[in-house]
Amino acid sequence: MKEAIHELLDQPGIWRANTPHRGPSSPARDHVPSGFAALDRALPGGGFPGSALTEILYEAHGVGELRLVMPALARLSRSGRWIAMIAPPFVPYAPALAAQGIDLSRLLVIHPNDGPQALWSVEQALRSGTCAAVMAWPSHCDDRSLRRLQLAAESGDSVGMLFRDSTAATERSPAALRLALGESSGQQLNIRVLKCRGTPPGAVALDSWSTAPVRPQHPLPLEE
Amino acid sequence: MLWLCLHFFNLPVECFGDTEGETFPLFVSQAGRVIGGNRPARHLGIRSGMTPTAARALTEDGRHRLRDPDREQRMLERLATWAVQFTPRVSIEPPMALLLEIEGSLRYFHGIEPLRRQISEGLEQWGHRANTAIAPTPTAAWILARAGDGTPVTARPALAERLASLSVNVLPLGQRATDALQGLGCETIGALRALPDDGVARRLGRALLETLQRAHGERPDPRRNWQPPNRFERRIDYLEAITTVDGLRPILRQLIDSLCTDLRYRDTGIMRLRFVLRHRERPPTRLPLGVLSPTRDAGHLKWLVDQQLDNIALTADVTAVSLQAGRFHALHGTSEALDLLDRDDRHTTDADWRTLIETFDSRLGEERVCMVKPLAEHRPERAWCYQRPGRTVEPLAQPSGTARPAWLLEQPLPLRSPRGRPEHNGAPLVLESGPERIETGWWDGLDITRDYYHARTANGQRIWIFRDRRGQRDWYLHGIFG
């Protein structure tokens, strides 16, 4: 006969730190494969957590924060639901996004006026139930608003991806997954897993990290 | 041709709103005589011809209105707009009747009686009462309806006989003609028709003779088809200016209700509407509102308005509010149809998605809600555009060439390049691939000649830069690979 504590622990709502969940309480469809085998292996469930917030912290635009999520987004954009991009820092360049497999007729781009409107927009999109993923670049996000967004992602069954400055790494966050991008050197992107439900923090290095087509490592001579 | 006349004998009362279902008695008077009342008033014994004083003695809390021909005309126009669903040939016969040419519609509605039933069910729903009559000429239909004779006359030979037995009082007679007819001892239309035409014209007026001739089909009786106005506009003025957003809210909601009532009469929906808030000595404020598929769902529109009101501050007092709506659209019945179908994920998602876009539109403004679309163009800054959500984005054949960055800068950003070597934030850039020469656009004067490179900054950013091959051969940052 099972002990009460085991029955309790079998409740799907309970997760235990340090115990990677792969049981029926977190079936594979609750996670979105990142498309990077090394990262998927490091994350419980094999990818970005569904119905939850993922924070991606980075120092400067262009270190690989978008390419990290592109394969997952490309897959989600073909799932019948929508992808929302909220307060992107630059123009989402249609030819490049299409080339990376994003179905642009499923991509919504929102330019809010200010920080509060951006947070409002993220919450609406997450909660609506119609967005498979919501990517957002909020200028400011405190613990309380993160909590709201986390709840919205849960109720709307949406993957929330917040792109934030790496200084946020020291702040508390209710996000299910927090990744900090280190420097990408040549063929490798270093990722620190700051927080992940069901697994201890760690680090991953993604290989074959470069813009296609692959280029020589030495500087090109300038044509004069 | 076959004409159906709807005679709204109680229109002077009905034009004051949906009064039949109300609990308060309401009666209308003209020239010191009651001319009609709603159902509670009739129950109390208020009858046409009473003096208003006598009527008021029967009801303490009853409402008394003076006849308002403008209101009646507007109501008649609304009814005409509604009636267009039965036939495109609807004409207004002031002050209280509509004429519908129904011959062409009979097959569609499976005959006279089903059509009549449908019309009367519709009228009942709107709280209107009408006598209907059917005859081969519009004037005859009108006369029969005024007489309350609803048995259809479908053949012209039967027409004269049916009209002959009607009292002359159903004809539009002036006092002079009434007196003259009494003097002649002429009580029915049949007796009137037996008189010589020129005698009738001389004694009773040419207009009456012509009416009789039209009714009998002896004179052409052309009618102008009613054209429903293709826009809606309603304005409310206030003596006391409105100073708060919360004061504004009930007014906008009320206007939405009247718009949606109008849309139901028209059996259409709307996609765009606009509130105009007028101020003293200041230009008006406009609040546009849009939805992605035609609607007449007042609740949904009110919700969108609330979203917008939550987000504005009144910069000046409001003295008048109007609601304008153009372009009416047929309702495809999508939302209703979807509820009946199995609630397939994809479908519900589409409906929810529309709601999400509309929410964003009303709160942020439409220009902030978009999709991106690639364009077949070699100049990078022109190889894309924004478009409104709701349309499919056709994928383009991928242009050959090297990878493009996921982020594009709105404007290329000049880079410092001491000794011709490009720098970013004071550190030299490492060029990883390139050049890709883009040289195009000579035909519209916006030509470019650039060499593009993939580059890496000192802190690991991957960026897209170019060197302008003209002028100072300057370097620019144009994209970020993300």
Side-chain angles (χ1 to χ4, degrees):
Chain A
M1 195 178 136
K2 277 209 264 184
E3 284 182 39
I5 183 78
H6 289 127
E7 279 179 27
L8 186 65
L9 290 173
D10 280 346
Q11 296 280 322
I14 291 180
W15 64 271
R16 280 179 281 173
N18 306 338
T19 313
H21 267 252
R22 288 178 204 273
S25 57
S26 64
R29 68 176 180 83
D30 281 355
H31 288 76
V32 181
S34 72
F36 297 98
L39 183 60
D40 288 350
R41 274 196 303 276
L43 300 176
F48 296 113
S51 313
L53 279 191
T54 292
E55 280 186 84
I56 293 167
L57 312 176
Y58 61 107
E59 278 176 21
H61 299 298
V63 294
E65 74 281 7
L66 277 185
R67 270 176 302 153
L68 179 66
V69 300
M70 273 306 164
L73 290 174
R75 176 196 295 250
L76 288 174
S77 75
R78 293 189 294 267
S79 72
R81 293 206 292 161
W82 299 75
I83 308 289
M85 254 191 191
I86 293 166
F90 305 100
V91 173
Y93 194 42
L97 299 177
Q100 302 207 36
I102 305 266
D103 178 355
L104 292 179
S105 50
R106 290 278 168 182
L107 178 71
L108 181 65
V109 181
I110 307 284
H111 298 290
N113 298 304
D114 52 28
Q117 276 202 347
L119 289 178
W120 174 85
S121 305
V122 179
E123 188 179 355
Q124 291 292 322
L126 284 172
R127 195 179 290 283
S128 68
T130 177
C131 295
V134 178
M135 312 160 73
W137 288 260
S139 57
H140 169 76
C141 217
D142 57 19
D143 187 38
R144 202 173 133 263
S145 31
L146 285 172
R147 217 164 280 282
R148 282 187 71 101
L149 297 184
Q150 170 66 33
L151 289 175
E154 279 169 26
S155 75
D157 183 25
S158 187
V159 179
M161 290 177 169
L162 297 185
F163 295 85
R164 303 181 66 197
D165 192 87
S166 53
T167 51
T170 54
E171 296 168 16
R172 269 152 42 85
S173 167
L177 175 64
R178 305 189 86 199
L179 302 176
L181 303 197
E183 200 138 302
S184 63
S185 55
Q187 304 289 313
Q188 191 167 300
L189 175 72
N190 299 308
I191 301 173
R192 279 186 301 138
V193 182
L194 299 180
K195 175 187 173 184
C196 180
R197 280 185 191 168
T199 194
V204 197
L206 300 187
D207 282 336
S208 301
W209 189 265
S210 75
T211 52
V214 179
R215 294 285 66 181
Q217 287 305 293
H218 53 84
L220 288 170
L222 277 181
E223 123 332 310
E224 286 301 333
Chain B
M1 287 201 290
L2 200 56
W3 292 83
L4 183 148
C5 178
L6 291 168
H7 181 238
F8 298 97
F9 52 86
N10 210 28
L11 194 67
V13 177
E14 288 162 2
C15 71
F16 288 101
D18 181 11
T19 57
E20 285 294 299
E22 293 287 355
T23 51
F24 61 86
L26 179 136
F27 62 93
V28 178
S29 71
Q30 181 185 25
R33 293 285 163 189
V34 170
I35 55 166
N38 65 354
R39 187 172 294 144
R42 294 196 299 274
H43 278 309
L44 289 172
I46 295 175
R47 296 280 176 269
S48 298
M50 282 182 166
T51 61
T53 323
R56 217 176 283 120
L58 293 170
T59 165
E60 276 178 8
D61 59 343
R63 299 179 196 184
H64 175 205
R65 299 274 183 275
L66 292 179
R67 187 169 185 184
D68 186 341
D70 284 346
R71 263 177 187 270
E72 286 171 36
Q73 174 71 21
R74 284 201 299 274
M75 184 55 92
L76 204 54
E77 286 173 2
R78 268 189 165 187
L79 286 162
T81 305
W82 164 81
V84 168
Q85 63 185 295
F86 301 107
T87 166
R89 302 186 60 186
V90 173
S91 63
I92 291 183
E93 182 72 38
M96 294 195 221
L98 292 181
L99 286 160
L100 282 63
E101 204 287 300
I102 55 167
E103 190 164 337
S105 315
L106 288 180
R107 243 173 97 154
Y108 180 78
F109 287 96
H110 310 293
I112 288 181
E113 282 317 312
L115 171 62
R116 247 160 94 139
R117 200 162 45 241
Q118 217 164 319
I119 291 175
S120 61
E121 277 168 11
L123 289 176
E124 207 169 304
Q125 196 189 329
W126 298 117
H128 288 292
R129 299 193 302 155
N131 282 333
T132 62
I134 291 168
T137 69
T139 302
W142 179 69
I143 289 172
L144 286 165
R146 278 164 62 100
D149 183 347
T151 311
V153 186
T154 52
R156 193 162 290 209
L159 188 58
E161 192 193 324
R162 284 287 301 282
L163 290 173
S165 59
L166 299 179
S167 157
V168 289
N169 292 329
V170 300
L171 295 170
L173 300 171
Q175 192 58 47
R176 190 176 74 96
T178 311
D179 294 344
L181 280 168
Q182 256 172 4
L184 289 165
C186 187
E187 287 177 357
T188 62
I189 291 180
L192 185 57
R193 279 305 276 164
L195 302 174
D197 282 354
D198 52 343
V200 170
R202 201 171 55 246
R203 293 190 191 191
L204 303 167
R206 182 149 289 277
L208 182 64
L209 173 67
E210 288 179 1
T211 301
L212 285 170
Q213 287 173 334
R214 284 199 195 95
H216 289 81
E218 294 159 10
R219 176 180 278 273
D221 194 2
R223 298 285 162 165
R224 187 139 40 106
N225 291 343
W226 165 250
Q227 292 286 347
N230 57 2
R231 49 182 293 107
F232 171 94
E233 176 152 12
R234 198 138 303 168
R235 177 178 163 138
I236 305 182
D237 288 85
Y238 289 87
L239 291 174
E240 302 234 347
I242 299 149
T243 54
T244 64
V245 167
D246 281 331
L248 206 54
R249 210 179 293 267
I251 297 155
L252 302 192
R253 293 175 147 256
Q254 183 191 340
L255 283 168
I256 285 176
D257 277 330
S258 70
L259 169 67
C260 290
T261 306
D262 189 89
L263 291 172
R264 277 200 301 281
Y265 270 105
R266 291 169 192 271
D267 197 22
T268 54
I270 194 91
M271 289 178 71
R272 306 237 160 280
L273 53 100
R274 185 170 70 175
F275 289 101
V276 181
L277 314 179
R278 283 167 217 283
H279 314 288
R280 274 187 207 100
E281 297 164 3
R282 282 196 60 171
T285 310
R286 290 168 212 284
L287 298 180
L289 202 67
V291 292
L292 292 175
S293 58
T295 185
R296 58 169 178 245
D297 179 345
H300 183 53
L301 292 173
K302 285 175 187 173
W303 186 74
L304 291 175
V305 164
D306 281 343
Q307 294 297 309
Q308 206 167 41
L309 288 180
D310 285 347
N311 210 31
I312 64 163
L314 274 189
T315 50
D317 292 358
V318 177
T319 56
V321 182
S322 58
L323 168 57
Q324 304 166 345
R327 288 285 300 279
F328 299 108
H329 303 263
L331 289 174
H332 309 302
T334 39
S335 50
E336 290 91 338
L338 280 175
D339 285 341
L340 299 174
L341 298 170
D342 55 332
R343 289 184 73 88
D344 179 66
D345 269 355
R346 179 123 187 173
H347 283 146
T348 46
T349 301
D350 278 355
D352 293 346
W353 185 73
R354 232 179 259 127
T355 309
L356 179 67
I357 304 284
E358 290 162 4
T359 308
F360 282 138
D361 282 352
S362 55
R363 179 95 168 212
L364 309 177
E366 280 180 18
E367 70 288 351
R368 296 182 174 276
V369 184
C370 38
M371 299 181 81
V372 288
K373 174 182 168 181
L375 298 175
E377 165 67 63
H378 288 291
R379 283 167 285 193
E381 58 268 48
R382 290 165 171 259
W384 72 284
C385 70
Y386 281 127
Q387 70 167 18
R388 282 287 296 151
R391 283 183 225 139
T392 313
V393 179
E394 296 297 332
L396 285 175
Q398 282 306 309
S400 57
T402 55
R404 294 285 182 262
W407 293 136
L408 194 75
L409 270 59
E410 299 259 6
Q411 287 291 327
L413 183 76
L415 293 173
R416 277 172 42 83
S417 53
R419 298 180 308 282
R421 296 232 157 232
E423 287 186 351
H424 186 251
N425 289 340
L429 289 168
V430 177
L431 303 188
E432 293 194 319
S433 73
E436 178 192 0
R437 182 155 300 173
I438 299 180
E439 191 164 12
T440 183
W442 50 268
W443 53 86
D444 58 10
L446 298 165
D447 49 326
I448 60 168
T449 307
R450 299 169 183 169
D451 281 339
Y452 276 88
Y453 296 84
H454 290 196
R456 200 171 73 226
T457 68
N459 55 356
Q461 293 168 278
R462 281 164 196 270
I463 60 178
W464 203 41
I465 61 172
F466 70 82
R467 184 175 212 180
D468 196 343
R469 289 176 49 78
R470 293 174 304 186
Q472 299 294 309
R473 295 171 63 81
D474 290 328
W475 289 87
Y476 294 87
L477 171 62
H478 203 183
I480 297 172
F481 282 93

